């Protein structure tokens, strides 16, 4: 044989893989998409590791619309049916409604979410996504996409007739048009010189402005995802048209010489590679192209369409190798729906609060989905199919049950408890984390049931001064009147979230200063708190610049027109004190809502009270005479309409200064009567890069700064410098990360080093809430460093370590 004959023989070798036909190996893809959605919801709650990849789980929900359109239209093209529009919805509802109704009912019986009866009524008929007032307030809110699916199924019969006879060119043009549509959410704001993330002005549950209603519609309304469902139908039509062309080629469907067989091998892998790069590479700067909203309405449609089309292959051709491998796991399709629907109910049963072990949780979810799929979903679907007349009665019975439940006492719900952190956590031989053991002298009366949080410590010679915040939350509800900005009065339910806040102060003197230094040097290696049982009492002498008591502060209001509720946040006193000494006295900086007696409480553009916290400074404080009147003045630097918190006080040459922001490192002066101005501004390049790379992360100050001059103990910076703290706050996950940093001991006070993350113990403020810690104080005595902090608004703790141990956090790896 000649080489040409051999080559021809090899090229005619058949591909020994089953033909694609009308079976779609999409079970594993569905299961993976549902799992990523679960990870995304856990990421949004801040209860798993804040990996960037997890935050993209929401993008797979629209993919389910595309998948539905593709599968249904493929079946129609293979064997057309003449269902009526309403009849088609009833027939398709058997795949979603039985399990949805069961989960919906179970969620209400648990009583874990309060939802008003109009929303429950809409949910019973899968209409919650149609009305913006219902969508975000719904029970099992994540099932909003089922409400959209009903609409698409209703219009599927006429759309099928319209699209069944279109040609290849029309199919391509329509697909390109639908691929382009989501980009309007990016191009229009750019053209009008608006921010691409304009939608962030909307707060969850808020429906009192056109912007709120518009954002909710773009996120959830069926009309905003119709293009995705139709695109799935077009993919099915494209598959049919290309299959005809592939069969007409002379080399046959099962030959490697057929170019379609070669191209199909790469479509799905490239689609997955595209989304994986977007989900993993933060350098792509997702914020620049809308991220949350544009990605939700499917800017990523081309990649997701490649995944769907590549896995399905062409009917007459063999499965692509990638699809053939996926087909081995097709049985997972039976459980992906249960994973999605029951994710929050299963999370409510998970014993951990604040932080979830993701692998274990996923095993729990998958095992539960297996049981639910076989023991609940399949029997319910069989009953549904066998009782076509009974199907119509189920939504009405469900609605009747919820209407009755809304006018009856709430079903019993066990309130999850929160475990306290261990009193002492030994991290290593030179570092210990512990509860400070502070006591509240005002535990009877106003302080009863309150927690001491966010301590600040000053170590001066033979004296220890401790400040902290007494914190307690209370909810009040009453009927009253709401007066709109246009003067109209409406009966309303007024719900007040009251944060009782008071600054506490206490001190302790030691007789022998040398002994004190030795005690503190021994502290990191012992398990005994040197401040244990130190009694703190209220700082009653704090007054405004006019001499009035520091109370009756400005409040924050929010009106919810859908249920005529006025939400009001009331803070009763100052928060988060920080103490420094200038050598001649003590000064205390704190933040607070403005007192009504010295300012006019501001209102927002909607006419609602919307005051923000400001920074204040009190000088000449007498820690032994807490009743002595001491006036505090607002620090004048910074705007009145932006929250001013987290300034870092420090003393230089006997005068108090503040770090206004870490990035840029802005230094402001401070005088006794509040006058302050910017003196220096420098930039630490690594922090600047961090903020550019992760725009959702805010870099804020913490605690006070301390002058350190111990070159033998600070090998990574053996010269005088200020030691301070900062924290990173991820606005998407509500998680904190705390770091120490060092800056110059003289103007312009440039940042010199930033440490790796400090291991503060976190706790949740509420059951199932996000665990967090908040560093509030910094003190140095001899060879000992105290980082004092509040854990979950519940405990006053300290991370105590040697100076050498802290210096190791600054080692540049």
């Amino acid at each position: 044989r000649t080489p040409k004959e051999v080559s021809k023989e090899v090229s005619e070798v058949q591909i020994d893989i089953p033909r694609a036909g009308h079976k779609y190996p999409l079970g594993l893809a569905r299961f993976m998409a549902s799992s990523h959605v679960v990870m995304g919801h856990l990421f949004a709650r801040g209860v798993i590791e804040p990996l960037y990849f997890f935050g993209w789980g929401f993008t797979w929900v629209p993919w389910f619309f595309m998948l539905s359109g593709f599968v249904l239209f493929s079946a129609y093209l293979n064997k057309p049916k003449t269902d009526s529009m309403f009849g088609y919805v009833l027939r398709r509802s058997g795949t979603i409604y039985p399990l949805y109704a069961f989960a919906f009912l179970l969620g209400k019986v648990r009583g874990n979410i309060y939802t008003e009866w109009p929303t429950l009524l809409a949910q019973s008929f899968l209409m919650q996504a149609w009305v913006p007032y219902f969508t975000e307030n719904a029970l099992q809110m994540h099932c909003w996409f089922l409400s959209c699916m009903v609409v698409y199924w209703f219009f599927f019969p006429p759309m099928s007739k319209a699209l069944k006879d279109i040609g290849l060119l029309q199919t391509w043009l329509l697909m390109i048009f639908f691929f382009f549509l989501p980009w309007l959410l990016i191009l229009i704001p750019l053209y009008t010189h608006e921010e691409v993330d304009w939608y962030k002005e909307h707060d969850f549950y808020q429906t009192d402005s056109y912007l709120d209603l518009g954002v909710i519609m773009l996120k959830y309304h069926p009309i905003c995802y119709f293009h995705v469902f139709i695109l799935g139908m077009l993919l099915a039509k494209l598959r049919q048209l290309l299959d005809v062309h592939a069969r007409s080629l002379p080399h046959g469907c099962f030959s490697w010489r057929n170019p379609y067989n070669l191209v199909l091998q790469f479509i799905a892998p490239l689609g997955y590679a595209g989304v994986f790069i977007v989900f993993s590479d933060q350098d792509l700067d997702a914020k620049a192209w809308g991220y949350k909203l544009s990605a939700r309405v499917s800017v990523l449609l081309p990649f997701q369409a490649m995944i769907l089309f590549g896995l399905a292959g062409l009917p007459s051709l063999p499965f692509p190798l990638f699809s053939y491998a996926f087909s081995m796991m097709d049985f997972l399709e039976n459980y992906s729906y249960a994973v999605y629907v029951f994710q929050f109910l299963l999370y409510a049963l998970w014993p951990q609060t604040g932080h979830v072990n993701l692998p274990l949780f996923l095993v729990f979810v998958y095992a539960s989905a297996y049981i639910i799929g076989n023991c609940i979903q399949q029997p319910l679907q069989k009953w549904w199919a066998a009782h076509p007349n009974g199907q119509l009665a189920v939504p009405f019975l469900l609605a009747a049950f919820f209407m009755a439940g809304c006018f009856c006492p709430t079903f019993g719900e066990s309130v999850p408890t929160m475990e306290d952190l261990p009193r002492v956590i030994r991290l290593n031989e030179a570092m210990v984390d512990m509860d400070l053991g502070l006591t509240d002298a005002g535990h009877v009366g106003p302080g009863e049931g309150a927690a001491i949080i966010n301590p600040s410590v000053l170590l001066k010679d033979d004296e220890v001064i401790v400040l902290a915040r007494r914190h307690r939350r209370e909810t009040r509800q009453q009927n009253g009147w709401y007066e709109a900005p246009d003067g109209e009065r409406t009966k309303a339910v007024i719900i007040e979230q009251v944060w009782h806040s008071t600054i506490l102060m206490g001190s302790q003197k030691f007789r022998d200063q040398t002994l004190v230094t030795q005690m503190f040097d021994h502290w990191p290696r012992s398990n005994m708190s040197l401040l244990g049982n130190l009694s703190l009492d209220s700082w009653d002498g704090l007054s405004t610049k006019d001499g009035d008591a520091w109370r009756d502060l400005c409040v924050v209001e929010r009106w919810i027109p859908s249920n005529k509720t006025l939400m009001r946040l009331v803070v009763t006193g100052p928060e988060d004190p920080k103490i420094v000494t200038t050598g001649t006295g003590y000064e205390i900086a704190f933040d607070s809502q403005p007192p009504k007696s010295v300012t006019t409480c501001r209102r927002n553009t909607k006419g609602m009270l919307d005051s923000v916290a400001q920074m204040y400074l009190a000088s000449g404080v007498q820690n032994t005479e807490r009743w002595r009147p001491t006036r505090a003045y607002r620090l004048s630097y910074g705007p009145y309409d932006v929250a001013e918190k987290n300034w870092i006080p420090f003393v230089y040459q006997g005068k108090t200064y503040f770090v206004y922001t870490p990035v840029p490192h802005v230094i402001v002066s401070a005088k006794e009567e509040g006058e302050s101005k910017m003196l220096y501004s420098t930039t630490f390049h690594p922090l600047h890069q961090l903020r550019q790379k992760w725009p959702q992360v805010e870099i804020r100050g913490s605690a006070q700064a301390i002058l350190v001059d111990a070159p033998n103990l600070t090998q990574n910076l053996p010269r005088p410098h200020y030691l301070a703290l900062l924290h990173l706050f991820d606005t998407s996950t509500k998680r904190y990360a705390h770091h120490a940093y060092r800056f110059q001991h003289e103007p312009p006070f440039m940042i010199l080093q930033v440490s790796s993350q400090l291991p503060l113990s976190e706790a949740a403020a509420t059951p199932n809430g996000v665990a967090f810690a908040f560093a509030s104080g910094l003190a140095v005595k001899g060879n000992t460093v105290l980082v004092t902090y509040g854990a979950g608004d519940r405990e006053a703790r300290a991370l105590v370590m040697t100076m050498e141990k802290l210096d190791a956090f600054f080692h540049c790896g």
Side-chain angles (χ1 to χ4, degrees):
R1 292 173 296 176
T2 66
K4 185 176 181 180
E5 290 173 332
V6 173
S7 175
K8 182 179 179 181
E9 181 180 339
V10 172
S11 68
E12 297 297 336
V13 172
Q14 301 291 301
I15 304 173
D16 190 20
I17 296 178
R19 187 169 65 91
H22 296 287
K23 177 177 173 58
Y24 323 105
L26 300 170
L28 178 58
R30 289 181 178 182
F31 193 79
M32 290 166 57
S34 295
S35 299
H36 197 185
V37 172
V38 172
M39 297 174 195
H41 286 145
L42 295 175
F43 173 88
R45 285 175 173 249
V47 296
I48 58 175
E49 294 300 322
L51 296 182
Y52 185 71
F53 177 86
F54 295 155
W56 289 88
F58 66 92
T59 57
W60 291 108
V61 179
W63 185 75
F64 293 136
F65 298 142
M66 188 195 304
L67 177 65
S68 178
F70 175 83
V71 172
L72 296 181
F73 197 47
S74 294
Y76 177 87
L77 293 172
N78 182 46
K79 187 178 181 181
K81 294 186 178 180
T82 56
D83 290 295
S84 66
M85 296 169 71
F86 186 69
Y88 189 79
V89 171
L90 283 181
R91 184 159 64 86
R92 294 300 310 163
S93 64
T95 61
I96 62 169
Y97 197 86
L99 192 64
Y100 162 78
F102 180 81
F104 186 28
L105 186 65
L106 188 61
K108 183 59 181 175
V109 170
R110 283 195 71 257
N112 59 339
I113 300 177
Y114 175 76
T115 305
E116 293 190 327
W117 70 265
T119 306
L120 294 173
L121 184 63
Q123 285 190 261
S124 300
F125 295 92
L126 282 176
M127 298 168 58
Q128 64 267 35
W130 305 1
V131 182
Y133 292 106
F134 297 157
T135 311
E136 291 186 337
N137 294 285
L139 185 65
Q140 291 287 90
M141 182 257 169
H142 64 291
C143 291
W144 64 270
F145 86 99
L146 301 177
S147 183
C148 298
M149 205 75 82
V150 171
V151 177
Y152 307 150
W153 289 345
F154 182 77
F155 288 102
F156 179 78
M159 287 192 301
S160 299
K161 294 177 182 178
L163 296 176
K164 69 175 183 177
D165 295 323
I166 63 173
L168 186 60
L169 179 60
Q170 291 171 298
T171 302
W172 277 117
L173 290 176
L174 284 172
M175 289 178 62
I176 292 171
F177 173 72
F178 289 131
F179 283 145
F180 170 75
L181 269 183
W183 287 93
L184 292 176
L185 286 176
I186 302 168
L187 298 176
I188 292 176
L190 290 176
Y191 180 76
T192 57
H193 305 289
E194 297 287 340
E195 293 290 336
V196 177
D197 57 353
W198 55 271
Y199 53 86
K200 288 191 175 180
E201 295 296 322
H202 166 68
D203 293 327
F204 209 71
Y205 301 122
Q206 193 166 340
T207 56
D208 53 353
S209 72
Y210 289 118
L211 183 142
D212 295 324
L213 298 177
V215 172
I216 293 173
M217 288 190 66
L218 286 170
K219 289 173 67 176
Y220 308 111
H221 201 276
I223 198 171
C224 297
Y225 295 93
F226 226 131
H227 68 291
V228 185
F229 183 81
I230 297 174
L231 184 58
M233 297 178 66
L234 292 171
L235 281 175
K237 184 62 181 178
L238 179 67
R239 182 172 183 258
Q240 181 196 52
L241 295 170
L242 293 181
D243 187 64
V244 174
H245 190 261
R247 291 201 310 267
S248 67
L249 295 179
H251 305 294
C253 296
F254 282 79
S255 171
W256 280 114
R257 295 187 69 182
N258 190 322
Y260 283 93
N261 278 322
L262 184 62
V263 172
L264 283 172
Q265 307 302 319
F266 301 99
I267 294 179
L270 287 176
Y272 270 117
V275 295
F276 184 80
I277 290 172
V278 172
F279 296 169
S280 304
D281 190 352
Q282 300 184 41
D283 291 331
L284 291 176
D285 193 12
K287 184 181 179 182
W289 41 275
Y291 179 44
K292 283 285 187 183
L293 197 56
S294 62
R296 180 180 284 275
V297 296
S298 300
V299 163
L300 301 177
L301 275 176
F303 292 132
Q304 294 177 327
M306 289 172 64
I307 293 170
L308 182 54
F309 188 85
L311 288 175
L314 297 182
S316 301
L317 270 60
F319 276 133
L321 295 174
F322 196 74
S323 305
Y324 184 63
F326 265 51
S327 68
M328 304 298 180
M329 306 292 288
D330 240 15
F331 66 93
L332 293 175
E333 181 177 1
N334 299 325
Y335 312 112
S336 60
Y337 182 53
V339 167
Y340 185 94
V341 172
F342 277 83
Q343 55 181 296
F344 285 114
L345 290 172
L346 295 174
Y347 174 73
L349 298 175
W350 190 248
Q352 283 181 291
T353 59
H355 188 76
V356 169
N357 184 312
L358 183 60
L360 290 179
F361 181 75
L362 289 178
V363 170
F364 172 61
V365 170
Y366 297 156
S368 301
Y370 178 82
I371 296 172
I372 292 168
N374 289 288
C375 300
I376 299 174
Q377 183 177 0
Q378 292 182 17
L380 286 176
Q381 288 179 344
K382 288 179 180 178
W383 178 92
W384 189 269
H387 298 82
N389 295 328
Q391 296 174 9
L392 296 175
V394 172
F396 289 95
L397 293 174
L398 201 62
F401 171 80
F402 288 133
M403 294 305 97
C406 286
F407 299 100
C408 296
T410 304
F411 295 98
E413 175 191 6
S414 59
V415 179
T417 59
M418 298 183 293
E419 294 185 4
D420 291 331
L421 292 169
R423 190 187 68 82
V424 177
I425 302 173
R426 169 59 60 184
L427 300 174
N428 53 54
E429 73 285 351
M431 183 164 55
V432 63
D433 182 289
M434 62 173 54
D435 187 332
L436 285 175
L438 304 174
T439 61
D440 187 349
H443 66 280
V444 177
E448 190 171 4
I452 300 177
I453 62 172
N454 301 353
S456 176
V457 177
L458 176 66
L459 305 177
K460 183 187 177 185
D461 300 329
D462 60 346
E463 186 177 27
V464 178
I465 302 174
V466 179
L467 274 73
R469 171 182 162 196
R470 178 194 290 150
H471 174 71
R472 178 170 64 93
R473 293 189 182 189
E474 178 187 5
T475 301
R476 303 170 181 166
Q477 180 171 326
Q478 61 182 346
N479 295 323
W481 293 88
Y482 166 69
E483 187 167 340
D486 58 5
E488 181 182 354
R489 298 187 75 212
T490 306
K491 284 187 176 180
V493 175
I494 301 174
I495 299 178
E496 290 186 342
Q497 298 286 343
V498 185
W499 290 15
H500 296 275
S501 183
T502 306
I503 291 180
L504 303 178
M505 187 185 301
S507 62
Q508 183 176 349
K509 277 202 170 187
F510 298 91
R511 295 181 180 179
D512 190 334
Q513 182 176 342
T514 303
L515 179 61
V516 173
T517 302
Q518 292 175 354
M519 291 169 59
F520 274 90
D521 285 346
H522 183 66
W523 194 358
R525 296 176 176 84
S526 72
N527 292 342
M528 183 181 297
S529 171
L530 300 185
L531 306 180
N533 298 320
L534 178 62
S535 179
L536 308 182
D537 210 342
S538 304
W539 182 20
D540 298 325
L542 177 62
S543 62
T544 69
K545 67 178 183 179
D546 297 332
D548 300 317
W550 202 277
R551 59 190 178 196
D552 196 17
L553 311 180
C554 294
V555 301
V556 180
E557 294 180 334
R558 182 165 64 90
W559 172 246
I560 306 176
S562 60
N563 54 11
K564 296 183 178 180
T565 301
L566 179 65
M567 303 294 297
R568 182 178 291 151
L569 174 63
V570 180
V571 183
T572 64
E575 305 175 76
D576 301 341
K578 304 177 182 72
I579 183 170
V580 295
T581 177
T582 59
T584 58
Y586 301 113
E587 294 188 336
I588 297 177
F590 60 90
D591 62 85
S592 174
Q593 293 287 340
K596 294 179 182 178
S597 60
V598 297
T599 188
T600 301
C601 299
R602 66 181 296 272
R603 295 180 180 270
N604 59 22
T605 55
K606 301 174 184 178
M608 305 296 296
L609 290 171
D610 191 26
S611 295
V612 292
Q614 297 287 286
M615 284 295 299
Y616 296 87
L617 180 65
S619 303
V621 179
Q622 299 293 324
N623 63 299
T624 57
E625 298 177 345
R626 304 179 188 91
W627 50 267
R628 183 184 296 277
T630 305
R631 302 189 182 194
Y633 297 86
R634 177 188 176 271
L635 292 167
S636 60
Y637 186 79
Y640 280 90
D641 58 349
V642 176
E644 296 292 347
K645 304 175 70 173
N646 304 307
W647 295 20
I648 303 174
F650 68 97
V651 176
Y652 173 68
Q653 294 184 347
K655 296 181 179 179
T656 300
Y657 297 82
F658 284 89
V659 177
Y660 178 67
T661 56
V663 184
H665 201 241
V666 175
I667 307 298
V668 301
S669 61
K671 296 185 178 180
E672 288 188 0
E673 295 188 357
E675 181 184 349
S676 58
K677 62 180 181 180
M678 189 183 79
L679 301 177
Y680 312 101
S681 179
T682 56
T683 298
F684 186 61
H685 191 59
L687 287 180
H688 179 69
Q689 283 183 312
L690 184 147
R691 192 171 66 175
Q692 288 185 319
K693 191 172 183 179
W694 291 287
Q696 78 276 16
V697 174
E698 297 179 357
I699 305 175
R700 306 170 177 172
S702 298
Q704 63 268 64
I706 305 295
L707 182 63
V708 174
D709 185 7
N712 294 332
L713 304 177
T714 57
Q715 295 297 316
N716 287 305
L717 189 63
R719 56 189 172 97
H721 60 269
Y722 280 97
L723 177 66
L725 302 176
L726 59 81
H727 65 266
L728 312 181
F729 178 70
D730 191 326
T731 56
S732 61
T733 63
K734 311 303 180 186
R735 299 297 298 271
Y736 290 82
H738 294 86
H739 301 257
Y741 79 95
R742 292 162 167 172
F743 63 91
Q744 288 177 323
H745 73 291
E746 57 187 4
F749 304 109
M750 291 178 58
I751 295 180
L752 304 173
Q753 295 176 339
V754 177
S755 76
S756 54
Q757 185 175 346
L758 301 177
L760 305 185
S761 299
E762 297 182 326
T766 57
N768 298 322
V770 179
F772 69 95
F774 181 78
S776 53
L778 180 66
V780 175
K781 185 73 171 179
N783 188 27
T784 296
V785 180
L786 274 71
V787 177
T788 57
Y789 67 96
D793 286 349
R794 293 163 51 197
E795 297 183 32
R797 300 183 67 89
L799 180 66
V800 187
M801 70 190 94
T802 63
M803 183 66 77
E804 296 97 332
K805 186 62 183 176
L806 176 64
D807 184 64
F809 282 94
F810 288 94
H811 176 70
C812 294

